[in-house]
C-alpha cells in the first residue's frame, strides 16, 4: 500500500525538483514587465510562456538566455510569427516569439532559406554546429509578428527531450520579476448537478461574496439539496495594474479536506485545447467570462488536474453543514482565501433547467454520423467532452449544426454530397462557408467531383458559397515612374473578399523577391536592402492568389 500511495502522490511533487536558478539570463535588458503569464487562459489554449512588454515599441535587442545552439527557426504569418528556438546543454530549450527580425548570421541564414524556397513562411531544424550561440548574444530584435496584438516578446522554456512546456518562473525569473499584488476574484459560481437545487436554481448561479477585515472573502450561505460544485472567475495582477494575468495555483477544501487543485507548472502542447473543458465554455460563449471549474464530471487527460484523488463535487446531505474554502495563489506566494458556508435545504426550484431534446443525441465517447438532404456530419469519438442533444437541421441549403456554445475538441467532418445544378466552372469556385448572420467565413474545403467537405472544430451554420472575386492590391507606397532614394521598403496592401489570401509572389526585373506578409495590417513589404533592385529602372510585379485560385497581378516600375 505504501508503494501505491507513493505513485499516486508523486506527480504533485514533480515540480519541487531543482530547476537551474542562475543558469539563464533575461532575454531583455529592460525591467521585465509582464503582459501575460504562464498558463493564462486564452482562446482554445493555455498560454505557454511569459509575455514581456517592450515599452510599446519594436526593435529592442533579444539576448540568448544561455549557451546553446539555434535548433529551430519558424517564420509564419500566424502563431508566434518569427520565432527562434535555442537548445541548451542542460536539457532545456528556450523559445523567443513575435520577433521583428533575427540578428547577424541567424538573419542571413533565414533569408538565404527564404530565397531558396521562394517563400516567406519557412521552418528549419538545425544541427548543433550550424548556429551556435553564447549566453548574452543578441539573437534577434523584438517585434509584433504573427498572432501578436501589440509589440512584446513571447518567451518560454521546454524540456528538450519531452517537449513539455515549463513555467519560466521556475528558472530563476521569479527574482527578476516583482509581484506584490494579490490575486483578484471577480465571480463565484455554484453548479447544481444531477437535478440538485442550489439557492432555488437548477442552473448555474452566481454567489455573492464580500471582503472581510482579515482580507479573506466570505460568500453568502449556499443552500443545496444534493450534488453540486463551484467555479471561480479570477485573475492576478503581476508587474503592473493594467494586465489581467492568470493564476498560478488554486486549491479547494471541503471541511478542511483537499477536494480539488491545479497548478500551472507545465503541460504538453497536445493538452492545451482541453482548456475548453477546464472552463465553463458555455458561460464563456454567452458572457465572455472564463470561469475555471473546480470540479470534473468525468476524467480527462489534462495534466494540471489529472492527479486529483477527488473530482471536486460535493454531495450536500441533510443534517450536515459544510465550509468550502478556495485558496488562490500567484507564483510569488501572494494568496487570497474565499470561504463559502453550505447547508442542506430542500428548496423548490424557481429557476429550472429545461433540456431541449432533439432526435440527435451525441454520446461523447462514441462515433456518430448524421445525414439529411445530402448533407452528412461525421463526429469521431471523444470529439466532445460530454453527452448532449444536438440541434441538426438542413433547410434552404443551410446546415444548422447546433451552435458555438458547445466546444469541439476533435475535428468533425461536414460533407455536402452530390451538389447539383452547377457548371464545372462554378464547382471549381465553390467552398463550404460558415454563416454568421449575413457574413460568410471561408473554411478550407476539399472537393471530390461534386462533393465538398471540411474539417472543423466549431459548430454553427454552414452553406455552400462561391468565390469568383480576385484579391485586391492597393495602397502602393511609391509613385510609378518616380525615383526612390531614401525609401528602404516597397509595400502594397492586399485583401480578399471571400476566401482569404493563399499565395503571394513578387518579382523585380524578373527575379523573385521576398515579401513579408502581416495579416493584421494586410501589407506585403519588400526590403530594398535585399539588393535585388538595380540602379536605374526596376520593373515590379506582384501576383496574389486567394484560396479559390482567383488571382490578381499588379505591375509597376520605379527608378533607383
Amino acid at each position: 500500500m505504501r508503494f501505491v500511495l507513493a505513485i499516486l502522490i508523486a506527480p504533485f511533487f514533480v515540480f519541487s525538483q531543482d530547476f537551474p536558478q542562475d543558469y539563464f539570463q533575461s532575454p531583455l535588458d529592460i525591467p521585465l514587465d509582464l503582459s501575460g503569464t504562464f498558463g493564462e487562459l486564452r482562446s482554445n489554449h493555455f498560454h505557454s510562456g511569459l509575455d514581456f512588454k517592450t515599452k510599446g515599441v519594436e526593435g529592442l535587442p533579444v539576448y540568448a538566455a544561455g549557451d546553446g545552439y539555434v535548433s529551430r527557426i519558424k517564420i509564419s504569418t500566424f502563431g508566434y510569427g518569427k520565432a527562434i528556438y535555442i537548445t541548451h546543454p542542460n536539457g532545456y530549450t528556450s523559445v523567443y516569439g513575435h520577433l521583428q527580425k533575427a540578428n547577424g548570421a541567424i538573419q542571413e541564414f533565414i533569408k538565404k532559406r527564404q530565397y531558396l524556397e521562394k517563400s516567406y513562411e519557412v521552418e528549419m531544424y538545425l544541427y548543433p554546429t550550424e548556429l551556435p550561440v553564447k549566453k548574452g548574444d543578441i539573437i534577434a530584435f523584438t517585434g509584433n509578428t504573427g498572432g501578436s496584438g501589440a509589440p512584446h516578446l513571447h518567451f518560454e522554456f521546454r524540456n528538450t527531450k519531452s517537449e513539455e512546456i515549463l513555467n519560466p518562473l521556475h528558472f530563476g525569473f521569479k527574482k527578476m520579476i516583482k509581484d506584490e499584488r494579490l490575486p483578484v476574484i471577480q465571480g463565484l459560481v455554484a453548479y447544481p448537478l444531477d437535478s440538485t437545487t442550489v439557492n432555488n436554481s437548477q442552473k448555474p448561479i452566481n454567489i455573492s461574496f464580500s471582503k472581510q477585515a482579515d482580507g479573506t472573502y466570505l460568500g453568502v450561505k449556499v443552500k443545496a439539496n444534493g450534488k453540486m460544485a463551484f467555479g471561480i472567475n479570477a485573475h492576478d495582477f503581476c508587474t503592473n495594474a493594467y494586465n489581467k494575468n492568470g493564476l498560478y495555483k488554486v486549491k479547494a477544501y471541503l471541511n478542511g479536506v483537499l477536494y480539488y487543485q491545479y497548478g500551472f507548472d507545465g503541460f504538453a502542447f497536445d493538452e492545451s485545447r482541453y482548456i475548453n473543458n477546464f472552463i465553463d465554455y458555455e458561460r464563456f460563449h454567452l458572457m465572455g467570462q472564463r470561469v475555471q471549474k473546480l470540479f470534473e464530471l468525468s476524467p480527462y487527460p489534462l495534466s494540471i488536474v489529472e492527479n486529483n484523488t477527488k473530482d471536486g463535487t460535493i454531495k450536500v446531505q441533510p443534517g450536515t453543514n459544510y465550509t468550502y474554502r478556495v485558496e488562490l495563489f500567484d507564483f510569488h506566494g501572494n494568496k487570497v482565501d474565499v470561504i463559502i458556508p453550505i447547508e442542506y435545504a430542500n428548496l423548490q426550484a424557481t429557476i429550472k433547467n429545461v433540456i431541449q431534446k432533439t432526435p440527435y443525441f451525441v454520446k461523447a465517447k462514441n462515433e456518430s454520423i448524421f445525414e439529411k438532404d445530402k448533407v452528412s456530419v461525421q463526429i469521431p469519438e471523444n470529439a466532445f467532452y460530454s453527452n448532449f442533444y444536438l440541434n441538426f437541421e438542413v433547410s434552404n441549403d443551410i446546415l444548422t449544426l447546433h451552435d458555438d456554445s458547445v466546444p469541439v475538441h476533435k475535428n468533425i467532418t461536414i460533407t455536402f454530397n452530390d451538389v447539383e445544378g452547377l457548371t464545372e466552372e462554378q464547382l471549381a469556385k465553390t467552398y463550404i462557408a460558415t454563416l454568421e448572420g449575413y457574413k460568410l467565413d471561408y473554411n478550407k474545403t476539399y472537393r471530390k467531383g461534386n462533393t465538398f467537405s471540411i474539417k472543423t472544430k466549431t459548430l454553427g451554420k454552414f452553406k455552400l458559397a462561391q468565390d469568383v472575386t480576385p484579391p485586391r492590391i492597393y495602397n502602393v507606397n511609391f509613385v510609378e515612374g518616380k525615383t526612390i532614394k531614401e525609401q528602404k521598403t516597397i509595400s502594397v496592401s492586399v485583401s480578399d473578399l471571400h476566401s482569404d489570401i493563399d499565395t503571394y509572389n513578387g518579382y523585380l526585373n524578373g527575379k523573385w523577391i521576398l515579401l513579408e506578409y502581416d495579416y493584421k495590417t494586410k501589407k506585403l513589404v519588400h526590403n530594398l536592402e535585399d539588393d535585388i533592385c538595380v540602379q536605374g529602372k526596376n520593373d515590379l510585379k506582384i501576383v496574389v492568389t486567394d484560396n479559390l485560385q482567383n488571382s490578381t497581378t499588379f505591375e509597376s516600375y520605379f527608378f533607383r
Side-chain angles (χ1 to χ4, degrees), residues 52 54 62 70 72 76 78 112 128 142 169 211 241 255 279 282 287 310 379 397 410 420 430 478 503 507 552:
F52 296 132
T54 56
V62 177
V70 177
R72 181 186 178 194
S76 173
F78 297 93
K112 183 178 179 180
T142 61
L169 293 178
K211 191 173 184 178
N255 292 343
I279 65 172
E282 182 178 10
M287 305 179 186
K310 299 181 183 296
I379 302 172
D397 298 322
K410 289 183 179 179
E420 299 177 341
T430 298
F478 66 90
T503 63
Y507 306 87
T552 297

Side-chain angles (χ1 to χ4, degrees), residues 65-336:
D67 292 351
Y69 70 97
V70 177
S71 54
R72 181 186 178 194
I73 299 170
K74 185 173 183 179
I75 311 297
S76 173
T77 54
F78 297 93
Y80 291 175
K82 298 180 182 180
I84 293 174
Y85 301 68
I86 297 178
T87 294
H88 305 282
N90 63 349
Y92 301 105
T93 295
S94 55
V95 183
Y96 314 76
H98 306 305
L99 304 170
Q100 181 190 66
K101 64 178 181 179
N103 184 46
I106 304 174
Q107 177 65 12
E108 292 175 8
F109 191 94
I110 294 171
K111 189 154 289 188
K112 183 178 179 180
R113 179 63 68 89
Q114 289 173 319
Y115 271 97
L116 180 66
E117 296 186 11
K118 294 185 177 180
S119 174
Y120 168 64
E121 296 193 84
V122 293
E123 185 171 13
M124 300 160 274
Y125 292 87
L126 288 74
Y127 292 108
T129 56
E130 290 185 274
L131 288 174
V133 296
K134 290 291 185 182
K135 181 178 181 178
D137 284 352
I138 297 176
I139 59 168
F141 300 92
T142 61
N144 188 31
T145 56
S148 170
H152 74 279
L153 175 67
H154 174 86
F155 180 70
E156 64 184 61
F157 280 110
R158 301 182 186 181
N159 181 302
T160 301
K161 186 175 181 179
S162 68
E163 295 189 347
E164 181 184 20
I165 319 156
L166 302 168
N167 193 330
L169 293 178
H170 279 299
F171 293 83
F173 282 79
K174 177 181 177 179
K175 60 188 176 185
M176 303 181 200
I177 297 169
K178 185 178 181 180
D179 181 3
E180 298 176 344
R181 295 178 172 86
L182 293 172
V184 176
I185 181 165
Q186 289 184 291
L188 182 66
V189 180
Y191 290 86
L193 306 173
D194 296 344
S195 301
T196 294
T197 298
V198 176
N199 291 1
N200 298 105
S201 176
Q202 291 179 341
K203 291 184 177 182
I205 186 169
N206 287 318
I207 304 300
S208 300
F209 55 89
S210 58
K211 191 173 184 178
Q212 305 301 295
D214 62 357
T216 63
Y217 288 84
L218 179 64
V220 299
K221 182 175 288 187
V222 170
K223 297 182 179 182
N225 58 6
K227 191 175 182 181
M228 62 163 298
F230 288 98
I232 56 162
N233 180 15
H235 63 269
D236 183 48
F237 290 113
C238 188
T239 52
N240 62 74
Y242 308 103
N243 294 101
K244 292 182 179 180
N245 302 132
L247 300 174
Y248 165 56
K249 186 178 293 184
V250 175
K251 292 185 176 183
Y253 299 83
L254 184 67
N255 292 343
V257 176
L258 182 64
Y259 251 59
Y260 206 70
Q261 68 173 334
Y262 56 85
F264 288 101
D265 294 298
F267 56 87
F269 262 109
D270 59 5
E271 299 178 40
S272 200
R273 193 173 178 86
Y274 282 111
I275 187 176
N276 293 332
N277 197 28
F278 178 76
I279 65 172
D280 181 343
Y281 186 88
E282 182 178 10
R283 194 177 191 91
F284 171 64
H285 172 76
L286 295 174
M287 305 179 186
Q289 300 174 357
R290 288 189 173 99
V291 172
Q292 303 160 55
K293 296 187 295 187
L294 301 178
F295 65 98
E296 55 187 76
L297 298 181
S298 59
Y300 63 108
L302 176 60
S303 58
I304 66 170
V305 302
E306 68 183 1
N307 294 301
N308 279 294
T309 57
K310 299 181 183 296
D311 63 9
T313 62
I314 305 163
K315 190 174 182 180
V316 183
Q317 298 179 325
T320 307
N321 292 327
Y322 306 84
T323 299
Y324 188 80
R325 178 167 56 90
V326 185
E327 298 176 340
L328 313 178
F329 298 86
D330 64 25
F331 197 91
H332 287 68
N334 301 303
K335 186 183 81 160
V336 166

Side-chain angles (χ1 to χ4, degrees), residues 355-417:
I355 298 175
Q356 299 294 330
K357 294 186 178 181
T358 74
Y360 309 100
F361 185 69
V362 175
K363 293 183 178 180
K365 292 184 178 180
N366 298 341
E367 180 183 8
S368 301
I369 298 177
F370 302 112
E371 296 180 320
K372 186 175 183 180
D373 296 345
K374 295 186 178 181
V375 177
S376 64
V377 176
Q378 182 178 7
I379 302 172
E381 59 184 21
N382 297 316
F384 298 102
Y385 304 121
S386 59
N387 304 338
F388 71 105
Y389 286 96
L390 176 76
N391 180 17
F392 173 71
E393 184 62 50
V394 179
S395 178
N396 297 322
D397 298 322
I398 296 175
L399 164 65
T400 299
L401 190 61
H402 212 80
D403 59 62
D404 196 29
S405 63
V406 175
V408 185
H409 190 77
K410 289 183 179 179
N411 276 324
I412 62 177
T413 302
I414 297 173
T415 303
F416 284 70
N417 298 285

